[in-house]
């Protein structure tokens, strides 16, 4: 009797969810950040609908402070898959007065993405936004359903979620409301990397050890890029680092690493005692930083 392996089982679940989205919603979109989870999600969507093209566009919220490797990878992937790309610009939100840019040493555009995302969803009338969030990442995400309802203001109420019985997902909504859908909710960080290895998925070079100018702040290494303002006591060093999770440059911590291959990354993750989002500066602003952002419409 044929038995599914663990990776094949969670792959089948994710593909089923993606097909449910295509069946239940009129205008879904896949949220693409250029990070490993959204890359795996895009790969799953490709497999779910092959040999047809992915039947919904990819949406990237561009903070203007992205790693150049991420943008190059995004453009190459879209061209290779023949996918449609929609870009929401945080800089445009700033220029039009929709949001106010933060100032100071800890300024970040990460939080500003929320308004840009909601504006873009409204502009294109997307009724489902498919994301790569996983429940093991952070306690707020552990509360999230696979089909996560958002009200007409794009907000999430964790106490007012619909029950999910087995693999039955309820996508019914009122006009102006939409859903966030998380097909890899039940995956772990290790699952993601083992799946990437199994499927031989090409990844941005920034995930592997490379030489980069960095500086040390609040017990983590940050990229010394043009958008970062250093304190007088901070100095730039050249170190061998890699990204464990990718976001806006201002909040993406870099890990000292010697992981040059996928096998090295898997071995490194198996030995670490630091959580994946422990390297994200935006999660350290308060004890409920992630949940507060999610309630207001964050990914």
């Amino acid at each position: 009797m044929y038995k599914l392996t663990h990776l094949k089982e969670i792959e089948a679940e994710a593909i089923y969810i993606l097909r449910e989205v295509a069946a239940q919603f009129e205008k879904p979109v896949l949220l693409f950040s250029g990070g490993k989870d959204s890359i795996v999600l895009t790969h799953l969507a490709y497999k779910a609908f092959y040999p047809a093209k992915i039947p919904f566009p990819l949406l990237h919220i561009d903070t203007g402070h992205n790693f150049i490797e991420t943008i190059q990878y995004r453009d190459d992937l879209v061209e290779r898959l023949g996918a449609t790309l929609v870009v929401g610009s945080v800089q445009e939100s700033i220029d039009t007065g929709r949001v106010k840019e933060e100032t100071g040493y800890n300024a970040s555009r990460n939080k500003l993405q929320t308004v840009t995302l909601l504006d873009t969803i409204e502009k294109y009338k997307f009724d489902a936004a498919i994301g790569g969030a996983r429940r093991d990442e952070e306690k707020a995400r552990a509360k999230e359903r696979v089909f996560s309802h958002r009200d007409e203001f794009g907000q999430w109420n964790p106490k007012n979620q619909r029950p999910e019985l087995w693999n039955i997902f309820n996508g019914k909504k009122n006009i102006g409301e939409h859903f966030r859908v998380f097909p890899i909710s039940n995956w772990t960080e290790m699952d993601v990397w083992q799946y990437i290895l199994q499927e031989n998925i090409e990844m941005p070079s920034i995930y592997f050890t490379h030489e980069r100018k960095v500086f040390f702040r609040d017990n983590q290494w940050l990229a010394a890029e043009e958008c970062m303002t250093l304190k007088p006591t901070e100095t730039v060093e050249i170190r061998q680092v890699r990204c464990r999770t990718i976001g806006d440059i201002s909040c993406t911590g870099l890990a000292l690493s010697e992981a040059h291959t996928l096998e090295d990354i898997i071995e490194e993750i198996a030995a670490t005692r630091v959580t994946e989002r422990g390297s994200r500066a935006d999660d350290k602003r308060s004890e409920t930083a992630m949940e507060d952002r999610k309630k207001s419409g964050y990914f």
Side-chain angles (χ1 to χ4, degrees):
M1 181 177 177
Y2 177 73
K3 185 177 181 180
L4 288 175
T5 65
H6 171 62
L7 290 180
K8 286 296 183 183
E9 186 172 346
I10 58 176
E11 177 194 60
E13 177 189 50
I15 287 176
Y16 169 79
I17 293 167
L18 286 164
R19 289 172 176 166
E20 276 293 296
V21 172
Q24 292 195 37
F25 296 98
E26 294 182 6
K27 202 170 183 182
V29 67
L30 191 153
L31 302 176
F32 186 84
S33 68
K36 66 184 185 307
D37 299 315
S38 64
I39 291 171
V40 164
L41 198 57
T42 304
H43 179 80
L44 289 164
Y46 171 79
K47 294 188 74 171
F49 302 102
Y50 182 84
K53 292 183 179 180
I54 298 174
F56 33 74
L58 275 56
L59 170 58
H60 180 222
I61 302 302
D62 184 359
T63 67
H65 293 165
N66 299 287
F67 289 101
I68 190 171
E69 296 95 332
T70 304
I71 299 300
Q72 185 61 59
Y73 181 92
R74 178 201 70 184
D75 294 344
D76 291 345
L77 180 65
V78 168
E79 182 178 357
R80 184 167 72 249
L81 295 179
T84 300
L85 175 66
V86 175
V87 178
S89 169
V90 172
Q91 184 62 57
E92 183 177 321
S93 297
I94 294 170
D95 294 342
T96 57
R98 289 287 294 144
V99 294
K100 183 178 180 180
E101 184 152 27
E102 296 180 2
T103 59
Y105 294 120
N106 295 309
S108 172
R109 287 187 173 185
N110 197 55
K111 186 178 180 180
L112 308 186
Q113 294 182 84
T114 300
V115 171
T116 308
L117 173 62
L118 293 176
D119 285 351
T120 307
I121 288 174
E122 172 63 23
K123 177 181 178 180
Y124 290 94
K125 305 301 179 186
F126 294 128
D127 56 358
I130 309 164
R134 309 186 324 270
R135 291 185 177 125
D136 77 319
E137 288 181 273
E138 205 272 344
K139 57 188 178 183
R141 283 185 169 166
K143 300 178 181 180
E144 193 111 49
R145 299 286 194 267
V146 173
F147 270 38
S148 183
H149 176 265
R150 296 297 196 271
D151 64 22
E152 59 184 319
F153 301 105
Q155 297 181 331
W156 170 67
N157 185 347
K159 296 181 179 180
N160 189 29
Q161 298 188 93
R162 300 173 180 180
E164 289 183 346
L165 307 175
W166 300 285
N167 61 350
I168 300 174
F169 301 108
N170 183 352
K172 292 184 179 180
K173 59 179 182 55
N174 296 317
I175 294 175
E177 299 174 344
H178 73 276
F179 275 80
R180 305 290 171 85
V181 181
F182 305 108
I184 61 172
S185 286
N186 296 325
W187 295 41
T188 65
E189 182 185 12
M190 182 64 80
D191 290 335
V192 170
W193 282 110
Q194 289 180 334
Y195 185 75
I196 289 169
L197 177 63
Q198 172 187 282
E199 299 290 298
N200 193 29
I201 301 173
E202 182 181 348
M203 299 298 290
S205 60
I206 199 170
Y207 271 117
F208 301 95
T209 296
H210 59 285
E211 195 173 83
R212 184 177 290 272
K213 291 181 179 179
V214 296
F215 65 97
F216 200 68
R217 176 185 294 172
D218 296 334
N219 205 34
Q220 66 180 350
W221 294 98
L222 295 169
E225 299 287 343
E226 185 178 348
C227 62
M228 301 295 283
T229 302
L230 273 65
K231 299 176 183 178
T233 56
E234 294 170 338
T235 57
V236 175
E237 304 178 36
I238 297 178
R239 294 278 187 144
Q240 294 289 324
V241 296
R242 78 173 190 88
C243 282
R244 189 172 168 190
T245 177
I246 296 177
D248 186 73
I249 287 175
S250 62
C251 61
T252 300
L254 299 162
L256 300 179
S257 175
E258 296 181 358
H260 296 280
T261 66
L262 292 174
E263 291 85 353
D264 290 342
I265 290 175
I266 290 171
E267 184 177 344
E268 187 177 271
I269 292 170
T272 189
R273 292 296 177 266
V274 178
T275 61
E276 178 182 359
R277 292 194 68 92
S279 61
R280 290 294 292 268
D282 50 325
D283 287 353
K284 299 177 182 179
R285 293 191 168 193
S286 74
E287 285 292 321
T288 59
M290 170 63 82
E291 184 158 339
D292 292 342
R293 292 199 307 276
K294 288 183 69 62
K295 286 179 178 178
S296 66
Y298 185 73
F299 300 116

